[in-house]
Amino acid sequence: MNPNHQNRHGCSGVSRRSFLADTGMGFTGLALGAMMFRDGIARADDSAWRPPTGKPHFTPKAKSVIWIFLCGGVSHLESFDVKPELNKYAGKSISETPYKDVLGTEGKDVIGANPVHGNRKVIMPLQAGYKAYGDSGLVVGDWFKNVGECADDLAVVRSLWTIHNDHGAQLTWQTGRHPRELEHPTIGSWVTYGLGTLNENLPEYVVLGVPTGDCCGGAFTHGAAYLGPEHGGVRLNVDAKKPLPFIKPPDGVSQEEQAANLSLLGKLNHLSGIDYPDDQNLRARIKSYELAFQMQMSIPETLQLEKESEATRKLYGIDKPECKAFGEQCLAARRLIERGVRFVQLFHGGGGGGDWDAHSEIKSNHTKLAAQVDQPIAGLLKDLKQRGMLQDTLVVFGTEFGRSPGAEGTGRDHHPQAFCAWMAGAGVKGGTTYGATDEIGFHSAVNRRYVTDIHATVLHLLGLDSHKLEVPGRKRLDMDHGEKIHEILT
Amino acid sequence: MTTEPRQANAVVARLVLAVLWAIGATTLVATPANKAALEKHYDQFLAKSLARCTTCHLPSENKNPESLEDFPHNPFGARLRAVGEQLVSDGKKKDIPARLQSIAREDSDHDGVDNETELLLGHNPGDAKDTPSKKELTEAKGKRGEFQKFLASYRWQPFEPVVRPKVPLLAKATAIRKSGDSSAAFPIRNPIDAFIAAEHQARGLKTRPDASKEILLRRVYLDLIGLSPTPEELAAFERDASPEAYEKVVDRLLADPRHGERWARHWMDVWRYSDWAGWSGGNQIRDSQPHIWKWRDWIVESLNADKGYDRMLAEMLAADELAPQDTNALRATGFLVRNYKMLSREQWLEDTVKHTSQAFLGVTMGCAKCHDHMFDPISQAEYFQMRAVFEPHWVRIDPVPGDTNLMNAGLARAYDTATNSPTYFLHRGDERKPDTNRVMEPGMPKSLGGAFAVQPVSLPWQASRPDHREFVYHDALAAADSVVEQAKKTLTTATNQTIAIERQLLLDIAQSQRDALAAVIETERLDDTGRKNSEPWKIAATNAVFQQRLSSLAVAKLKHHQSKTAEAEARTKADPASATIAAVTNAVAQVSTNKAAPADATKQAREKTTAALAEAQKKTGEAAKLLADAEATVKSPADVAFKPRGTQSYPTTSTGRRLALARWLGSTNNPLTARVAANQIWLRHFGQALVPSPNDFGRNGKPPSHPKLLDWLAAEFMARGWSTRELHRLIVTSTTYRMASTPDAANAQLDPDNTFLWRMNSRRMEAEVVRDNMLYVGGSLDLSMGGPDIDHTLGLKSKRRSIYLRQAAEKEVEFLKIFDGPAVTECYIRRPTVVPQQALAMANSELTTGEAKALAKRLTSDSGEDPAAFARSAFARILARRPSAEEMSHCREFLEARTASSTSIRAREALVTVLFNHNDFVTIR
């Protein structure tokens, strides 16, 4: 959407539908039955726009999403789109190879290019080995051996491209928009806006790990823009002691005392509500206090990873120092999904341009970082599968762009012309690959797909039609909606 | 789409063209704004089949039509166009309604039925084959009559100059009676009430009575000053039985400096206030500029001084042209400075055009960057004419008295650069595709009328050479003086001869540099007064050269001294008998296993020290030569070629484009400026705007609930000298404003959204008001005004009003964000949400805990041991009202139970905490 297509909806957005449902007023003593007579009134204008009902538009395959994002730009060439031709032409200039034509269109679709990046001509050989896995024979680089073992569950999209050649593309991955257009709703916010919550004790949309740095999208990468802050991601630290702002009751106030405070508050709010029986905000506020009170307990409980068995913790690699942090995040993600959180966004290597940004020493950089995530991600897939959760949970693995086939010293440069991502779980045809880059992985060549085509696929699996989610005054373009990748669906 | 480049603007342009082509393939293309105007003129009388391009156009003969020109007009369209051309040649505006009216009775397609009748009956007036049947014609008269009635009704024409509508005369046979009768259910206290009551009558709405004194006082306090009334203020108001008790309160609040702070925050939303954003302690300023808080202070001061809104916007857009020497007024250009964007001048200018038009005109010019506006009569060319107004401007930081470091202190302001780069028409709004043959001159959309006259402005030297102002000289000399003073002080603490000599030389340098600076400034002063190259100037310049030579000599002396000292040290080390060498030799011997090591190590060490000595000697030689040169130079006759001071100079003229824009906007002929401002003000008093889309008064915005009232308010606003204070007074003293916010089932049936204001709206406080009141009620609010932005991480520690806390991209106060604080990029309207994070912040934050403790203690010392008295005073202080008997009994029960399980003071703190969390605390009824 062009930012010029105007905001007539103000700084935040629509109110939290789920709170307005006429259910669960958990206080005793005073019935709210007399309240909300307005609910029974037919509105004059039935054609008026209404926020989504929370019901899918058609039968969904997936219920919830774990959205893994690796910050800085993971090499597609040595992960899920391995290119042996690079070994053959190593050290040669691209212009000396049969693929010299690729240079002519470098940067064609890059907007607001940072001139520092690109124009890497001397081919660098693969920095990792590779192997075919599973019945599908999916070729995966050795940095991702553990994920490789799950090959038959993965659908790899090898023909992605993005619009910007710097790390602002991290924001693009979440919103589909060029970073200079700033804040737009993220995929996570669309999902929760469309479907609401599955558990009123927990937020709908949770963010784990260190998100993208301020340079490159910052809080916008997990925001909701005009959909309103209630649909933005709630950042949790995987630390049961301080998972989110203001979660801890003041020192010296016991749970019983807080409950008693809340009870008095409920009584007083109900009393003043007698004069204002149609006040939806009052109702929503009463409800929000109940959820907040629940969250004080439910969130720390959810994050008590020590309650998991030793075997499970090992599966995620939590026993290994290099895997511990991300392993805990992956395990926390499973526990959150299990308890009804709709969308978990998992960041790895966030802050600044991102850890995966291997302009030099890509071999040691990617070896080290992959060791942090490979087993935890594989563990997550295996754990979800063994619990039967993979049937209705969608796991998405992505990064902002690929890395250049040409060498930048001992590293690889940013490469927006081509990169890859994969999906696994609910409704996804495992063991498939879709689209292709050229022989040296320079351009997305066959069935090119833009970032929002991944978004469209996710929404489709959740039973949502993004056109039906549009907010009046917030016209979205085809580029925002994207097109689902039909070929990777069951 | 997937294989196309996705540059957003280009995509929009393509989309638009795709839409046009898609229509073209089957039917026709029309100027979207003309089509919109046709639809608007006929409103519900236009059949859907006629709300099409085909009403005026024929299909294209070109298979791949490229522009509107490929779609010829049908006879009706041709006639409509001809009338337009006639109007233009007569010097009139060629608006569609006038043209439609003038050809209503003509029969363009010669099928025997006039154009208007055909349109009303759903037949194409430009197609002779499409004619109404006889039966249809029998209904024609009735339809024409209804349509005439509709045309005669009040039409909302936001793009036409404001004409003051007549205040409705109300029928006496209703519950609504004339003013002066305070027993009336809805006394007409001022004309606002007449407009509102007329709608109530027309729609059968029963108006709500005045709110209770308690509720009204809290409402107007929070609305006008952002702080709730104290129990004493409430008591005084309740005691005052005079008929003008309320008006007295309003007068007092409007004169309160806290009123400026409260309403400044509203205007900061509209005008997109932002502190600077970026990294590295100011080394990389990405958005806005440092010191922009001065613009915030200017807003507060201007509102408190009741500066006219027309003057305010003129200062914001063009203070550098309007009052180039007025550093107070220059702060206002923060409005422009705020759009600064390090990474993209394109985005910077785009934001400037877009938000200037939305804030002041309520027009979405931004759409027209890539294509003619789809809904409003604004062409793409006019977009670039508006952009040309801003093309020459840039931002800079001028020095301010008292500090010579521009990062510490300065005035961030706008100015026109000398390099007035041309504004090119960008093909489809794409910055990569400028049409260098189309240089756009500054101008305003024709549809908005008015005179736009650009006069270049000559600037005084103070503006073009800001570093030559007296205070800059003074501060520079004062800074040099303080270096001298510091050097003197340091000299007195020298501990040995060598250090003393060095410090004396440093002092000599400081003194000579100060003298040289004074001499240079002397020449600049003469230059400033037009006496460059005069005899006194030559003397001063010669002196400056001499002083600078002395200064160089002093530096050369220091260097020579330092190199001699270094040489002496090197000589000591190189002495074979020196302890240093022995020590090195021993050390090496200890760590080495090689027997030959000691001898080798000694040799190596000796070679090293010898080389160091040679190097030091060489340096001393060089320093001695420089010193000799400096001495010789001082002795040689001085010329006038002194080294000037590092200063900034700027153009001596400004294009005057922004001043022309400001005058065009501030003219009473401008149709939108006053309407948009009055609507923004109304929105913030009622939580509901008269035009619900305050930044879009165009066709794509929402129509007003009370068009007549808004026009009347706009006329009144201008008639009262654009005084926002007078508009506030008018609004808050109306009966409309004083109504209760309690519901009414019958009214809710008729008007569930309260569009016609049969009651006051209940609203949640804005984020800043929540925080400020927590501090205020708790007794900790620091009411000092103005000054630099306070670090956002101190949001809960600082006791200042929230308006003074830093607000920029990624630099926001978490507590305020949770309560839907203003989005930095754009915030024409706030939409409060209700989320659990707010509950957590209110229940658990250190702010609540701290204020609850302080307040419980204070109230206990005021009200004594009686729990009931405590509860009553807590209600009065926190919620500005009395508790009901039932509320009292719950509170007493709670206090008793908690006192039993804990202590009395803890129980009271808990009660205060609960009341802070009460819905009534954050709600304005």
Side-chain angles (χ1 to χ4, degrees):
Chain A
M1 191 181 78
N2 185 309
N4 293 331
H5 284 142
Q6 253 335 287
N7 170 18
R8 292 185 290 111
H9 276 265
C11 324
S12 36
V14 295
S15 54
R16 187 181 165 109
R17 178 194 61 260
S18 52
F19 282 147
L20 299 181
D22 190 13
T23 55
M25 308 300 292
F27 294 98
T28 51
L30 288 149
L32 273 189
M35 290 178 66
M36 307 308 297
F37 62 82
R38 177 175 159 172
D39 277 0
I41 295 170
R43 297 294 203 89
D45 181 6
D46 278 336
S47 66
W49 173 85
R50 297 277 198 289
T53 59
K55 288 194 186 112
H57 301 127
F58 45 88
T59 311
K61 292 268 171 59
K63 228 165 64 183
S64 39
V65 181
I66 298 175
W67 180 266
I68 299 169
F69 185 74
L70 277 48
C71 301
V74 178
S75 171
H76 56 305
L77 305 167
E78 286 115 342
S79 59
F80 297 95
D81 186 19
V82 176
K83 292 293 172 184
E85 285 291 280
L86 295 179
N87 289 339
K88 191 167 155 193
Y89 293 104
K92 289 210 162 71
S93 170
I94 293 174
S95 47
E96 301 168 70
T97 72
Y99 313 117
K100 57 178 181 289
D101 291 349
V102 301
L103 295 171
T105 46
E106 180 179 10
K108 179 170 72 77
D109 296 328
V110 173
I111 301 300
N114 183 339
V116 171
H117 302 298
N119 203 24
R120 305 291 169 194
K121 293 208 178 86
V122 180
I123 287 180
M124 177 189 254
L126 294 177
Q127 300 296 297
Y130 55 91
K131 189 183 137 183
Y133 292 85
D135 297 340
S136 59
L138 178 75
V139 175
V140 177
D142 289 350
W143 286 327
F144 293 91
K145 279 183 174 164
N146 286 290
V147 176
E149 284 168 18
C150 305
D152 291 341
D153 291 319
L154 308 184
V156 181
V157 180
R158 286 179 168 159
S159 52
L160 290 167
W161 69 278
T162 191
I163 200 164
H164 187 48
N165 75 344
D166 215 338
H167 298 289
Q170 289 181 34
L171 180 58
T172 308
W173 180 254
Q174 317 294 344
T175 66
R177 282 310 183 94
H178 191 279
R180 81 176 193 192
E181 297 183 77
L182 303 174
E183 198 176 15
H184 283 269
T186 58
I187 177 66
S189 65
W190 281 115
V191 169
T192 55
Y193 173 73
L195 293 176
T197 189
L198 287 161
N199 176 351
E200 300 235 332
N201 295 335
L202 289 167
E204 306 165 347
Y205 174 5
V206 168
V207 180
L208 299 175
V210 177
T212 297
D214 291 355
C215 56
C216 311
F220 294 162
T221 59
H222 46 91
Y226 56 80
L227 297 179
E230 65 270 51
H231 298 294
V234 174
R235 273 187 74 179
L236 297 184
N237 295 314
V238 184
D239 172 358
K241 289 193 192 83
K242 197 182 183 297
L244 109 155
F246 308 116
I247 189 85
K248 196 174 157 296
D251 287 339
V253 177
S254 68
Q255 197 178 309
E256 293 71 31
E257 285 176 334
Q258 267 223 326
N261 291 0
L262 191 67
S263 164
L264 174 65
L265 178 64
K267 289 173 193 163
L268 297 179
N269 275 338
H270 280 83
L271 281 173
S272 74
I274 288 169
D275 283 342
Y276 300 93
D278 61 342
D279 187 345
Q280 295 188 326
N281 286 323
L282 170 60
R283 273 169 49 109
R285 188 154 295 111
I286 290 169
K287 199 107 213 266
S288 77
Y289 271 89
E290 293 191 336
L291 175 56
F293 184 68
Q294 298 301 330
M295 274 164 58
Q296 287 181 172
M297 289 165 288
S298 62
I299 288 182
E301 187 278 325
T302 305
L303 297 178
Q304 279 169 12
L305 306 183
E306 63 277 12
K307 295 212 168 149
E308 294 286 332
S309 73
E310 205 49 42
T312 304
R313 291 167 58 84
K314 272 196 168 159
L315 186 60
Y316 287 83
I318 293 174
D319 56 328
K320 297 179 184 162
E322 69 274 18
C323 297
K324 184 171 185 291
F326 199 69
E328 286 182 342
Q329 285 174 33
C330 286
L331 179 52
R334 193 216 80 209
R335 287 174 66 92
L336 287 160
I337 292 289
E338 210 168 31
R339 284 161 179 74
V341 170
R342 188 68 79 174
F343 195 96
V344 178
Q345 192 176 19
L346 259 173
F347 284 96
H348 178 261
D355 289 354
W356 290 83
D357 191 22
H359 289 288
S360 63
E361 300 296 337
I362 189 168
K363 192 167 184 172
S364 59
N365 170 289
H366 273 36
T367 303
K368 181 179 138 207
L369 296 174
Q372 295 171 6
V373 300
D374 181 34
Q375 191 184 338
I377 294 172
L380 173 66
L381 291 173
K382 289 172 191 165
D383 195 21
L384 288 172
K385 201 168 184 180
Q386 75 189 9
R387 287 165 197 267
M389 288 172 69
L390 201 56
Q391 286 169 17
D392 56 12
T393 304
L394 186 59
V395 180
V396 184
F397 171 100
T399 186
E400 69 260 43
F401 42 51
R403 304 211 76 90
S404 60
E408 179 185 7
T410 54
R412 295 190 189 275
D413 202 351
H414 304 173
H415 201 72
Q417 288 84 356
F419 70 117
C420 60
W422 56 255
M423 292 176 152
V428 172
K429 205 189 284 174
T432 47
T433 57
Y434 174 85
T437 51
D438 53 44
E439 287 81 348
I440 58 168
F442 199 99
H443 286 293
S444 163
V446 180
N447 292 326
R448 294 183 82 218
R449 290 291 192 158
Y450 183 63
V451 169
T452 46
D453 296 341
I454 299 289
H455 298 188
T457 310
V458 168
L459 292 177
H460 175 79
L461 287 169
L462 290 161
L464 291 172
D465 174 351
S466 69
H467 293 84
K468 291 189 180 159
L469 295 177
E470 267 191 21
V471 177
R474 296 289 191 172
K475 180 84 189 111
R476 300 184 82 210
L477 302 176
D478 288 353
M479 73 175 281
D480 296 318
H481 294 296
E483 286 164 21
K484 70 170 187 283
I485 306 175
H486 185 74
E487 292 81 351
I488 63 167
L489 305 179
T490 53
Chain B
M1 286 301 292
T2 47
T3 57
E4 293 286 313
R6 304 225 187 187
Q7 203 275 342
N9 292 335
V11 169
V12 174
R14 270 201 308 282
L15 178 86
V16 169
L17 246 87
V19 168
L20 295 178
W21 280 333
I23 298 166
T26 52
T27 60
L28 286 172
V29 174
T31 305
N34 282 351
K35 181 170 154 281
L38 172 81
E39 284 177 51
K40 185 164 188 233
H41 182 72
Y42 279 93
D43 208 85
Q44 77 267 28
F45 294 89
L46 190 70
K48 275 212 174 111
S49 61
L50 292 176
R52 288 216 177 127
C53 316
T54 39
T55 305
C56 299
H57 291 267
L58 295 169
S60 179
E61 286 151 18
N62 189 342
K63 264 192 185 169
N64 293 306
E66 284 185 348
S67 76
L68 301 181
E69 302 308 317
D70 288 334
F71 297 91
H73 283 108
N74 66 24
F76 175 69
R79 186 71 191 115
L80 204 56
R81 177 181 211 156
V83 173
E85 280 161 5
Q86 185 60 45
L87 282 170
V88 171
S89 80
D90 293 350
K92 289 177 187 154
K93 279 174 76 172
K94 56 173 213 175
D95 65 309
I96 293 283
R99 286 149 72 185
L100 287 169
Q101 289 273 59
S102 78
I103 62 165
R105 297 282 158 259
E106 292 178 10
D107 178 10
S108 298
D109 57 0
H110 304 292
D111 61 358
V113 184
D114 69 65
N115 295 333
E116 185 176 285
T117 305
E118 284 208 69
L119 282 163
L120 293 174
L121 295 175
H123 293 274
N124 191 327
D127 182 356
K129 287 181 205 142
D130 184 9
T131 310
S133 66
K134 277 189 183 161
K135 187 172 166 260
E136 283 174 310
L137 282 168
T138 57
E139 296 165 14
K141 201 177 166 196
K143 283 207 169 161
R144 275 203 301 266
E146 277 170 42
F147 182 59
Q148 286 311 316
K149 229 164 104 185
F150 168 75
L151 284 183
S153 67
Y154 195 79
R155 303 298 296 273
W156 170 239
Q157 295 182 307
F159 287 17
E160 294 298 322
V162 175
V163 176
R164 183 190 290 259
K166 283 203 179 108
V167 178
L169 289 171
L170 298 169
K172 285 195 174 176
T174 67
I176 299 160
R177 278 170 253 159
K178 292 250 173 182
S179 61
D181 181 358
S182 60
S183 67
F186 193 84
I188 305 299
R189 291 185 169 104
N190 70 39
I192 290 173
D193 301 327
F195 288 103
I196 295 293
E199 290 296 335
H200 291 170
Q201 282 188 359
R203 289 159 206 279
L205 294 165
K206 281 184 295 172
T207 52
R208 300 301 292 154
D210 279 1
S212 70
K213 275 193 148 185
E214 265 177 3
I215 283 180
L216 183 59
L217 192 72
R218 186 169 187 267
R219 178 190 299 167
V220 77
Y221 261 71
L222 290 170
D223 188 8
L224 293 183
I225 64 168
L227 300 171
S228 68
T230 63
E232 297 72 31
E233 286 164 335
L234 176 59
F237 179 55
E238 289 189 321
R239 270 199 309 274
D240 187 346
S242 68
E244 64 281 4
Y246 176 71
E247 283 77 2
K248 284 190 277 185
V249 169
V250 169
D251 289 347
R252 181 160 51 74
L253 295 178
L254 284 172
D256 191 319
R258 295 172 296 181
H259 168 66
E261 292 176 319
R262 167 63 163 147
W263 276 79
R265 186 56 254 180
H266 289 316
W267 289 115
M268 283 158 73
D269 284 7
V270 180
W271 300 333
R272 300 202 322 140
Y273 179 83
S274 170
D275 290 301
W276 71 270
W279 297 344
S280 320
N283 289 334
Q284 208 186 92
I285 293 156
R286 292 193 158 210
D287 300 315
S288 189
Q289 289 284 301
H291 320 307
I292 194 113
W293 56 268
K294 290 189 171 161
W295 171 40
R296 175 245 291 148
D297 284 357
W298 173 90
I299 300 173
V300 174
E301 291 164 27
S302 300
L303 293 174
N304 279 334
D306 196 23
K307 188 178 279 179
Y309 178 80
D310 55 340
R311 176 73 191 188
M312 283 181 79
L313 62 86
E315 290 185 8
M316 286 196 284
L317 289 166
D320 58 315
E321 296 180 328
L322 186 67
Q325 290 194 62
D326 183 345
T327 50
N328 277 330
L330 284 168
R331 295 177 297 171
T333 61
F335 173 78
L336 296 167
V337 174
R338 176 266 172 272
N339 293 305
Y340 172 82
K341 222 167 191 43
M342 182 189 91
L343 294 174
S344 170
R345 170 72 169 166
E346 184 64 27
Q347 192 72 43
W348 174 4
L349 284 180
E350 184 178 308
D351 287 350
T352 306
V353 172
K354 178 176 159 185
H355 292 293
T356 300
S357 58
Q358 287 186 47
F360 298 133
L361 290 169
V363 168
T364 55
M365 287 289 286
C367 304
K369 184 176 182 187
C370 311
H371 49 79
D372 288 350
H373 203 292
M374 294 291 280
F375 301 96
D376 298 329
I378 291 160
S379 69
Q380 195 183 353
E382 285 170 329
Y383 173 90
F384 289 101
Q385 287 187 293
M386 171 85 108
R387 170 168 164 155
V389 170
F390 298 103
E391 196 85 53
H393 95 292
W394 207 267
V395 301
R396 74 190 208 211
I397 297 180
D398 280 351
V400 293
D403 199 329
T404 51
N405 181 338
L406 290 183
M407 267 314 285
N408 290 341
L411 171 65
R413 49 160 292 182
Y415 74 106
D416 274 4
T417 58
T419 51
N420 291 338
S421 49
T423 300
Y424 295 124
F425 185 92
L426 302 182
H427 186 56
R428 295 180 189 178
D430 187 337
E431 68 194 89
R432 296 168 301 178
K433 295 178 187 162
D435 183 347
T436 49
N437 294 322
R438 283 184 81 178
V439 176
M440 308 306 292
E441 291 302 318
M444 291 295 120
K446 281 191 191 57
S447 56
L448 298 177
F452 179 77
V454 178
Q455 271 299 330
V457 178
S458 296
L459 299 174
W461 66 263
Q462 291 92 335
S464 55
R465 305 169 74 207
D467 293 330
H468 292 257
R469 288 172 296 172
E470 190 50 42
F471 80 81
V472 182
Y473 293 145
H474 175 269
D475 288 349
L477 288 171
D481 281 339
S482 93
V483 174
V484 171
E485 288 313 305
Q486 193 54 43
K488 280 181 184 163
K489 238 183 245 167
T490 316
L491 175 58
T492 59
T493 60
T495 50
N496 68 43
Q497 181 81 24
T498 314
I499 293 174
I501 293 171
E502 181 167 306
R503 291 190 179 173
Q504 177 62 51
L505 289 167
L506 281 166
L507 173 59
D508 292 348
I509 292 172
Q511 268 167 337
S512 64
Q513 284 181 342
R514 188 223 168 268
D515 292 344
L517 178 66
V520 170
I521 285 175
E522 180 60 22
T523 65
E524 290 186 45
R525 283 201 170 106
L526 290 162
D527 191 359
D528 293 343
T529 49
R531 286 186 282 170
K532 190 168 182 177
N533 295 327
S534 65
E535 276 314 303
W537 183 88
K538 281 181 189 156
I539 294 166
T542 312
N543 184 36
V545 170
F546 182 64
Q547 294 294 351
Q548 284 178 342
R549 286 175 179 177
L550 283 181
S551 183
S552 302
L553 177 60
V555 172
K557 278 183 178 165
L558 175 69
K559 285 206 175 133
H560 187 239
H561 170 75
Q562 283 169 336
S563 54
K564 278 198 303 185
T565 311
E567 187 190 327
E569 266 173 39
R571 177 163 294 120
T572 314
K573 282 184 193 161
D575 184 343
S578 112
T580 317
I581 294 219
V584 169
T585 312
N586 283 339
V588 172
Q590 275 168 14
V591 293
S592 176
T593 51
N594 188 339
K595 300 268 177 194
D600 275 1
T602 310
K603 194 177 161 222
Q604 277 169 12
R606 186 163 297 144
E607 276 167 9
K608 221 170 162 187
T609 52
T610 310
L613 175 61
E615 180 64 24
Q617 281 168 330
K618 193 177 145 218
K619 280 193 177 155
T620 311
E622 284 163 5
K625 187 174 177 305
L626 285 175
L627 177 59
D629 288 351
E631 277 166 344
T633 309
V634 169
K635 282 174 192 150
S636 69
D639 54 16
V640 295
F642 64 89
K643 283 193 246 38
R645 199 165 54 100
T647 55
Q648 295 291 333
S649 66
Y650 301 101
T652 53
T653 58
S654 192
T655 60
R657 295 180 184 187
R658 285 176 286 110
L659 186 56
L661 168 64
R663 295 210 158 116
W664 177 82
L665 278 172
S667 155
T668 51
N669 281 328
N670 187 297
L672 287 161
T673 311
R675 282 182 172 119
V676 169
N679 190 56
Q680 287 283 10
I681 288 174
W682 186 275
L683 162 66
R684 287 163 176 85
H685 285 298
F686 289 92
Q688 167 183 329
L690 294 169
V691 172
S693 49
N695 55 322
D696 189 357
F697 273 48
R699 177 85 172 140
N700 204 28
K702 294 197 176 130
S705 54
H706 299 78
K708 253 189 198 178
L709 170 58
L710 184 53
D711 284 353
W712 186 86
L713 286 170
E716 189 68 14
F717 182 40
M718 292 189 281
R720 295 189 187 211
W722 302 84
S723 161
T724 53
R725 184 178 291 176
E726 289 313 306
L727 198 55
H728 291 310
R729 194 191 315 279
L730 195 66
I731 290 172
V732 303
T733 55
S734 69
T735 300
T736 308
Y737 182 84
R738 297 187 212 191
M739 273 190 289
S741 56
T742 45
D744 177 281
N747 284 344
Q749 286 277 6
L750 292 167
D751 179 16
D753 291 327
N754 193 31
T755 306
F756 295 99
L757 285 167
W758 47 268
R759 63 160 158 178
M760 185 47 134
N761 292 307
S762 291
R763 283 175 289 155
R764 202 205 69 212
M765 290 172 171
E766 294 92 340
E768 297 86 347
V769 184
V770 173
R771 179 182 165 281
D772 290 0
N773 274 280
M774 190 102 91
L775 288 166
Y776 183 60
V777 163
S780 323
L781 186 65
D782 174 355
L783 279 169
S784 50
M785 295 176 72
D789 46 311
I790 295 159
D791 194 292
H792 57 289
T793 57
L794 301 175
L796 294 186
K797 297 220 163 51
S798 169
K799 307 295 181 202
R800 299 281 306 281
R801 283 196 87 165
S802 305
I803 190 176
Y804 301 116
L805 301 173
R806 182 168 303 149
Q807 192 219 348
E810 310 296 336
K811 296 177 185 174
E812 296 171 86
V813 176
E814 188 167 52
F815 186 90
L816 297 180
K817 256 189 109 169
I818 288 173
F819 281 94
D820 316 302
V824 175
T825 43
E826 156 168 348
C827 188
Y828 292 103
I829 233 177
R830 289 210 200 175
R831 300 279 186 196
T833 60
V834 183
V835 293
Q837 289 93 321
Q838 292 162 358
L840 289 172
M842 288 301 274
N844 297 342
S845 74
E846 63 193 85
L847 178 63
T848 316
T849 322
E851 295 309 307
K853 276 201 170 122
L855 186 58
K857 197 171 160 198
R858 196 150 52 86
L859 293 179
T860 300
S861 78
D862 292 350
S863 66
E865 288 308 307
D866 177 20
F870 177 84
R872 262 194 301 275
S873 58
F875 263 78
R877 191 73 194 97
I878 300 168
L879 306 178
R881 68 172 173 86
R882 292 179 194 81
S884 70
E886 208 170 343
E887 285 171 331
M888 273 304 283
S889 89
H890 287 306
C891 291
R892 290 176 72 161
E893 214 172 89
F894 175 85
L895 284 172
E896 266 167 41
R898 184 63 61 87
T899 306
S901 69
S902 178
T903 62
S904 159
I905 188 68
R906 299 270 300 155
R908 288 172 176 216
E909 286 165 15
L911 180 63
V912 167
T913 303
V914 167
L915 293 183
F916 275 139
N917 283 274
H918 197 299
N919 185 60
D920 284 359
F921 178 69
V922 293
T923 305
I924 307 175
R925 290 291 187 194

